[in-house]
Amino acid sequence: MTTPFVHPYLPNSAPEVRAEMLAAVGAESVEEFYADIPAALRLTGDLDLPEPLVAEADLSRHVRGILGKNRTRLSFLGAGTYHHHVPAVVDEVIGRSEFLTAYAGEPYEDHGRFQALFEYASLLAELLEVEVVNVPTYDSLQATATALSMAVRATGRTRILVASDVRADVLSKVEDFIRPYASLEHVPTVDGIADVAAVTALLGDDVAAVWVSTPSATGAVETAMTQLAEATHAVGGLLVAQTDPIGLGVLTPPAAQGADITCGDIQSLGIHAWFGGGHAGFVGVADDPRLVMEMPHRLFGLASTSVEGEYGFGDVAWDRTAFAHREEGKEWVGTAAALWGIAAGVYLALMGPQGMVELGETLLARTAYARKVLTALPGVSEADGAVHLREFVLHLPRPAAEVVEELRAKEIEAGVVLGEHELLVCVTEMTTQADIDLLARELGAVLGTATDATTHTPVLEEVAR
Amino acid sequence: MSLPIATKPALRRFHQARWDEPIVFELDAPGERGVLPPQVEPGVRETVGDVLADLPESLRRPAPPTLPRIGQARVLRHYLRLSQENLGADLNVDVGQGTCTMKYAPKVNDQLVADPGLRDVHPLQGEESVQGALEILWRTEQALTAISGMDRVSLHSTGGSSAIWTNVAMIRAYHASRGEAEQRDEVITTIFSHPSNAAAAAVAGYKVITIHPDADGYPDLDALRAALSERTAAIMVTNPEDTGIYNPRIVDWVEAAHAVGALASYDQANANGILGITRARDAGFDVCHFNLHKTFGTPHGSGGPGAGANGVAEHMAPFLPGPMVERDGDRFRLAAGGELSIGAVSAFYGVIPTIAKAYAWIAALGAPGLRAVAETAVLNNNYLMSKILAIPGASAPYATGRRRVEQVRYSWQELYEDTGITSEEIGVRAADYGTHYWTSHHPYVVPQPFTLEPTESYSMAELDEYAAILAQVAHEARTDPEMVRTAPHNQTVHHTHHDDLDDPDRWAVTWRGYLRKYPDAPQHRRP
């Protein structure tokens, strides 16, 4: 220690305390504790960082100053992160210190955490119609990669058929993840959904899984899930359905149509957008040990206790995990997204069956409405005729990137550019009829106006992935 | 008559809240509801008709999901009661979860990131509208570059183990780019590195070789040299290891790996005691990672969201995930990842609320603060070690008589031999005194292990309290072992039968599964 630095976060940095503690352990200075670090590795001088903002008020001003440069806008952006309502009770619960700052407590002192996560899994299981749901993994990318690798292990096969239009970021992760032991084959979709005949023709007894995304990357809802499941099962493969549970108040869950593994993201269920940082992944299966034992995540289950009638909790089949077996585990376990799972549990408890039904209907209706009024604009057409939930693709008569830029100038985020003339438009329960009408009006104005081509933003296409 | 002013007992008379709170499904009350979503406007309905009736038969859910029906205030009470049946780090001297750096997560940071300007922005908005979010990412990358000494930092990884995966994925891509993907099929790690290093390497397709410590507990350099070959893709090591012992020959390790063409990957989950003291790059590592939810003071969220940061030397930059944030004068923009990028490791750009909290933590401390964090953490650790080793039956295997860095893996083996009481039983009993205690990661190379990491956040008096709790429980093990064996005694629940959880016929991972397997079980309906 060169100069005393006493900080509110560091109770024992006060010189007198430090001296007392050093004396208690019989050390001359903290240098003794670093005796194993060779001198050549010791940093000389200070780290190159800005001056500390020790006063809380100064820190607040600094951080708020930076965040104040962000602006929220009327937005029709989706593509993986969605703007849904987060009920106030959700934020209240996950803001509680007892949940927010807990970590790896045992079932005794963290009974509430185990119960809240068991309840999350149970509530999501009702929506998905499965019996086993994991403690959340990171996001839909990880969940999908894991689900597909589970299918590879469970079947001992290596081919995966991609039957839907899947998001580029999910695909990127899956490709990198399964690279050592499986391969992907893409089956082009027809009118936005799976080409059942083409998928069937490619099926064989070497197929581990057929991967369906519903809604797909374009928001199309798969209608032939049952046929796909039957064809896949006929050759001994598994159907892996990647989904967003938000519509399942009204839509048939994939598991009820034959999907063996359901996976996806719960960001829609009570988690803010957080600039794309509010994601959590789920994997759900039937209570079939063949699949359950392939799940790498923590599973929290009910257990009896020494008191009759009392619910206890604990880790189910701990021996599946890397925590128990290091490289013999199916995948690693680590800090992922448990708090978001608690959030989604609170969300579903608040929404109840009626809430999820009404939300599903609102999403379908607003989606249909937006499609109708936007395709009524001259030169604007739909990319496909599938059923859509929340998102759909418009074909525009002008380059989509230019249109997006021009609407940004009017504080509207019109959608995500998918192709030169393709725009992915998203509506949620937060997007009112008036919002949609405003987009139609402004989009119409932009399309009706011959403007100089504004410089388009190549980065947008990259990040849209 | 005087006011009842008395000296507080040395150990708290703690009692966990017990609400006998039903499972949320047992609160079902037909007709109740907790929140109403926006309804379809008449104008929309008029235009689109009955969207549900229009669905193809196969897509129309035959009946609503069987979620419980509960009024809003009851939902709130339910979850607040569960929160009270949970011992968060803010409520206890949370030094018992070693390897996880349970430090104080400043409240101001939670407040700062709740700003709608961060919470409600979409990752694909125009860059001019998200300059603040991009600036936070850029500033955090810069700070972690300085702290690690590495050339570039990516914040895309969504947790520590996710970052370990990112490291191994980049390593695999590096060897593939040199045409050595087939040849290099082994990864070497050490038994006291986090299990995720071994697990992630295995998931990436590598054969994993595990090095055990030498007689003094230091990573065995001779064993490493014997294991290294032209088949080695990388060494993936933690330093200090989970024992709290810093590998003094780390440069030799890295150089030995490089000598056979392998890369060196540094798990810095245990970096708290060496912030500003020594850096990954100085030891020659090619890639490293940090856990923002450990070392950088963000709350652990009951098991996430965390966030990881990957630091790389210049030659590994082409493999980084993208997009990256670049500064262009006063503006910040997104640019593609490396030209040989491993692609997306997470949705968008990482866990921004956690990243922003880590940024605020670093900003509050600066260079002198980070160094004070490290020095205080090691001081606290060595202070606590002197207290723990004074308890009869406790020991710290390896490196006897030497100092440790930020944590210690202890053993109750002697106490176990004397009393038959296990480390796990001691942990359960310790909870009765209002604190958390964890054994250690498997495998138990150290017998009857427990790992304590006091971090910088606790006062001397609090460390004394924690040591006193363990001394008390160790004393009970000798004088009243039944008391320890039958613990817990004042928690929400009693001793739990873990056998239920390993039997496929008996486990119940969801309420739905429970009702199917135990159709006769009474439900605890409460008004």
Side-chain angles (χ1 to χ4, degrees):
Chain A
M1 185 80 190
T2 45
T3 46
F5 181 89
V6 183
H7 195 282
Y9 303 164
L10 306 171
N12 296 340
S13 59
E16 51 273 47
V17 178
R18 177 178 280 229
E20 187 181 347
M21 293 176 74
L22 283 170
V25 298
E28 291 289 319
S29 77
V30 291
E31 279 303 308
E32 282 188 27
F33 307 136
Y34 293 120
D36 272 341
I37 304 180
L41 295 185
R42 291 297 301 272
L43 189 67
T44 52
D46 278 343
L47 292 168
D48 183 17
L49 293 172
E51 283 300 304
L53 298 164
V54 181
E56 186 170 293
D58 294 339
L59 177 70
S60 289
R61 179 190 294 257
H62 169 72
V63 176
R64 286 190 205 285
I66 297 171
L67 293 178
K69 298 173 188 173
N70 287 340
R71 292 203 307 282
T72 52
R73 287 172 166 163
L74 176 59
S75 169
F76 298 85
L77 298 169
T81 296
Y82 301 96
H83 185 210
H84 289 285
H85 178 62
V86 177
V89 169
V90 173
D91 281 332
E92 175 67 24
V93 171
I94 66 168
R96 295 286 292 207
S97 274
E98 297 90 333
F99 284 134
L100 180 63
T101 69
Y103 194 36
E106 300 298 321
Y108 303 108
E109 82 260 18
D110 273 4
H111 178 81
R113 174 172 68 93
F114 277 78
Q115 181 165 339
L117 285 163
F118 170 81
E119 290 181 354
Y120 152 71
S122 298
L123 291 159
L124 189 59
E126 292 304 325
L127 209 51
L128 299 173
E129 293 196 4
V130 298
E131 265 191 23
V132 175
V133 171
N134 63 330
V135 174
T137 183
Y138 308 108
D139 54 24
S140 62
L141 283 66
Q142 187 75 35
T144 307
T146 301
L148 291 168
S149 62
M150 284 168 59
V152 168
R153 288 193 298 270
T155 60
R157 301 171 176 187
T158 58
R159 286 176 68 209
I160 295 168
L161 304 182
V162 189
S164 304
D165 296 317
V166 297
R167 272 192 3 240
D169 56 348
V170 182
L171 181 62
S172 168
K173 171 74 180 223
V174 167
E175 277 178 339
D176 200 48
F177 198 80
I178 64 162
R179 196 181 296 278
Y181 46 82
S183 60
L184 299 175
E185 293 167 52
H186 295 266
V187 188
T189 54
V190 174
D191 205 27
I193 58 172
D195 182 342
V196 178
V199 171
T200 306
L202 286 168
L203 283 169
D205 61 10
D206 52 355
V207 168
V210 171
W211 171 14
V212 179
S213 180
T214 179
S216 72
T218 66
V221 182
E222 185 55 62
T223 50
M225 191 88 77
T226 306
Q227 295 95 302
L228 288 165
E230 283 169 1
T232 307
H233 294 158
V235 299
L238 298 173
L239 189 73
V240 175
Q242 177 202 340
T243 195
D244 188 320
I246 194 77
L248 295 184
V250 295
L251 299 175
T252 310
Q257 302 176 75
D260 302 283
I261 307 176
T262 313
C263 60
D265 211 298
I266 56 170
Q267 186 265 321
S268 298
L269 306 179
I271 303 163
H272 297 280
W274 288 116
F275 195 51
H279 290 274
F282 70 86
V283 178
V285 296
D287 193 353
D288 171 356
R290 184 176 78 127
L291 288 175
V292 175
M293 294 307 286
E294 292 302 335
M295 294 179 83
H297 317 102
R298 291 184 83 177
L299 300 172
F300 288 174
L302 279 177
S304 57
T305 78
S306 53
V307 171
E308 180 76 24
E310 186 176 76
Y311 294 128
F313 293 94
D315 279 275
V316 168
W318 177 253
D319 270 0
R320 292 168 298 113
T321 67
F323 275 157
H325 289 300
R326 298 177 68 89
E327 72 268 25
E328 304 300 323
K330 312 288 184 183
E331 196 178 309
W332 65 85
V333 196
T335 306
L339 193 71
W340 298 148
I342 295 173
V346 179
Y347 179 85
L348 291 173
L350 287 166
M351 291 291 280
Q354 194 58 26
M356 290 309 289
V357 168
E358 289 170 12
L359 176 64
E361 186 184 1
T362 298
L363 294 175
L364 283 169
R366 296 247 177 100
T367 308
Y369 180 80
R371 288 173 88 180
K372 200 152 194 163
V373 301
L374 294 171
T375 54
L377 298 170
V380 177
S381 59
E382 290 187 275
D384 64 67
V387 176
H388 282 258
L389 178 79
R390 203 172 49 184
E391 285 175 290
F392 54 91
V393 178
L394 292 178
H395 185 89
L396 303 179
R398 290 185 50 202
E402 291 177 15
V403 171
V404 163
E405 275 305 309
E406 289 174 36
L407 287 173
R408 277 180 182 157
K410 302 179 180 198
E411 291 297 307
I412 298 171
E413 290 284 352
V416 178
V417 177
L418 284 192
E420 191 185 357
H421 288 272
E422 269 70 49
L423 186 70
L424 180 71
V425 177
C426 175
V427 295
T428 71
E429 80 280 14
M430 306 296 276
T431 326
T432 64
Q433 181 186 8
D435 294 336
I436 297 167
D437 291 343
L438 177 65
L439 174 65
R441 207 158 51 240
E442 295 296 340
L443 181 61
V446 166
L447 294 176
T449 315
T451 60
D452 297 328
T454 46
T455 53
H456 106 301
T457 54
V459 168
L460 182 69
E461 287 171 6
E462 276 163 29
V463 298
R465 291 194 286 245
Chain B
M1 193 74 185
S2 62
L3 283 170
I5 295 170
T7 311
K8 292 292 176 200
L11 298 171
R12 286 169 203 280
R13 289 172 299 206
F14 171 78
H15 200 298
Q16 179 85 286
R18 184 186 299 155
W19 287 98
D20 282 337
E21 189 62 13
I23 303 294
V24 69
F25 289 84
E26 297 175 295
L27 300 173
D28 180 47
E32 286 190 21
R33 49 194 311 184
V35 68
L36 200 70
Q39 305 291 302
V40 181
E41 297 97 330
V44 169
R45 195 181 295 280
E46 216 168 90
T47 308
V48 302
D50 185 345
V51 285
L52 298 183
D54 289 348
L55 283 175
E57 180 70 28
S58 68
L59 286 186
R60 214 177 309 144
R61 186 167 188 139
T66 43
L67 297 169
R69 296 154 290 187
I70 316 169
Q72 187 172 114
R74 187 66 183 91
V75 172
L76 179 66
R77 268 190 286 282
H78 173 68
Y79 281 101
L80 293 191
R81 287 170 179 168
L82 293 187
S83 80
Q84 292 192 348
E85 295 177 340
N86 202 39
L87 190 65
D90 276 354
L91 289 134
N92 82 104
V93 182
D94 208 9
V95 312
Q97 184 69 34
T99 81
C100 296
T101 316
M102 301 305 297
K103 61 172 63 179
Y104 173 57
K107 298 287 110 181
V108 64
N109 298 346
D110 298 330
Q111 280 186 9
L112 289 170
V113 309
D115 189 318
L118 188 64
R119 219 173 58 178
D120 297 338
V121 291
H122 191 279
L124 300 177
Q125 282 184 216
E127 282 170 1
E128 77 288 355
S129 70
V130 291
Q131 285 293 305
L134 295 177
E135 183 171 343
I136 289 284
L137 290 172
W138 185 85
R139 284 175 173 267
T140 310
E141 285 179 11
Q142 295 301 304
L144 292 168
T145 301
I147 292 164
S148 65
M150 303 300 265
D151 296 311
R152 295 292 296 270
V153 166
S154 163
L155 298 170
H156 283 240
S157 296
T158 39
S161 296
S162 163
I164 290 172
W165 168 260
T166 301
N167 280 342
V168 78
M170 289 191 293
I171 287 163
R172 191 172 60 177
Y174 170 86
H175 290 304
S177 76
R178 298 160 62 89
E180 295 183 356
E182 301 291 318
Q183 172 200 325
R184 296 190 182 275
D185 61 354
E186 294 176 352
V187 160
I188 300 172
T189 187
T190 58
I191 193 69
F192 287 128
S193 289
H194 190 278
S196 288
N197 288 284
V203 171
Y206 289 110
K207 181 185 164 210
V208 177
I209 298 170
T210 304
I211 305 289
H212 286 252
D214 67 17
D216 294 324
Y218 290 96
D220 191 331
L221 182 57
D222 292 333
L224 173 75
R225 287 191 169 129
L228 283 167
S229 74
E230 72 286 348
R231 292 180 63 183
T232 312
I235 59 169
M236 296 177 70
V237 297
T238 310
N239 195 28
E241 292 197 301
D242 283 359
T243 51
I245 296 172
Y246 186 92
N247 178 357
R249 306 191 67 178
I250 192 64
V251 171
D252 297 329
W253 274 60
V254 172
E255 286 177 354
H258 286 164
V260 298
L263 296 173
S265 175
Y266 191 175
D267 175 342
Q268 294 218 261
N270 295 346
N272 201 48
I274 56 171
L275 293 171
I277 303 291
T278 183
R279 305 188 299 177
R281 190 64 180 132
D282 302 330
F285 281 95
D286 304 283
V287 295
C288 74
H289 94 269
F290 294 107
N291 298 47
L292 300 187
H293 54 285
K294 293 183 178 175
T295 310
F296 298 94
T298 76
H300 286 56
S302 284
N310 293 87
V312 302
E314 197 60 52
H315 60 279
M316 296 302 289
F319 307 98
L320 283 169
M324 306 290 291
V325 182
E326 288 185 353
R327 183 179 189 157
D328 187 3
D330 289 341
R331 310 297 291 170
F332 297 89
R333 62 186 196 88
L334 292 165
E339 62 268 28
L340 297 169
S341 173
I342 58 169
V345 296
S346 64
F348 302 103
Y349 329 116
V351 188
I352 188 108
T354 302
I355 294 167
K357 288 179 197 181
Y359 172 73
W361 188 83
I362 295 168
L365 288 156
L370 294 188
R371 194 183 169 95
V373 163
E375 292 181 348
T376 307
V378 296
L379 175 62
N380 286 356
N381 184 44
N382 285 280
Y383 176 81
L384 184 65
M385 181 164 72
S386 70
K387 295 265 170 182
I388 297 298
L389 293 183
I391 302 172
S395 63
Y398 303 126
T400 307
R402 291 185 70 84
R403 308 294 191 186
R404 301 297 173 96
V405 185
E406 86 299 357
Q407 64 188 350
V408 180
R409 182 151 298 175
Y410 298 94
S411 175
W412 285 123
Q413 179 64 14
E414 192 189 313
L415 185 74
Y416 172 72
E417 286 168 8
D418 290 350
T419 65
I421 295 293
T422 65
S423 179
E424 189 174 353
E425 288 168 328
I426 288 172
V428 174
R429 177 61 179 152
D432 282 341
Y433 292 100
T435 194
H436 167 65
Y437 164 111
W438 168 69
T439 52
S440 282
H441 287 122
H442 293 262
Y444 285 175
V445 177
V446 169
Q448 300 301 332
F450 62 113
T451 307
L452 307 182
E453 183 185 10
T455 77
E456 71 280 9
S457 297
Y458 299 99
S459 67
M460 189 167 64
E462 288 171 313
L463 299 178
D464 290 344
E465 179 183 349
Y466 194 88
I469 290 169
L470 292 195
Q472 169 66 20
V473 177
H475 176 70
E476 289 174 359
R478 295 181 191 281
T479 56
D480 188 2
E482 256 333 273
M483 170 72 93
V484 179
R485 205 168 276 127
T486 55
H489 301 291
N490 48 9
Q491 297 298 299
T492 305
V493 288
H494 299 85
H495 190 78
T496 304
H497 301 145
H498 291 266
D499 292 355
D500 293 340
L501 302 164
D502 288 325
D503 180 350
D505 294 329
R506 284 156 64 199
W507 71 40
V509 186
T510 57
W511 187 244
R512 168 181 280 250
Y514 171 72
L515 295 181
R516 180 174 66 80
K517 289 182 181 175
Y518 302 91
D520 301 328
Q523 292 189 39
H524 305 253
R525 284 192 180 278
R526 296 275 159 72

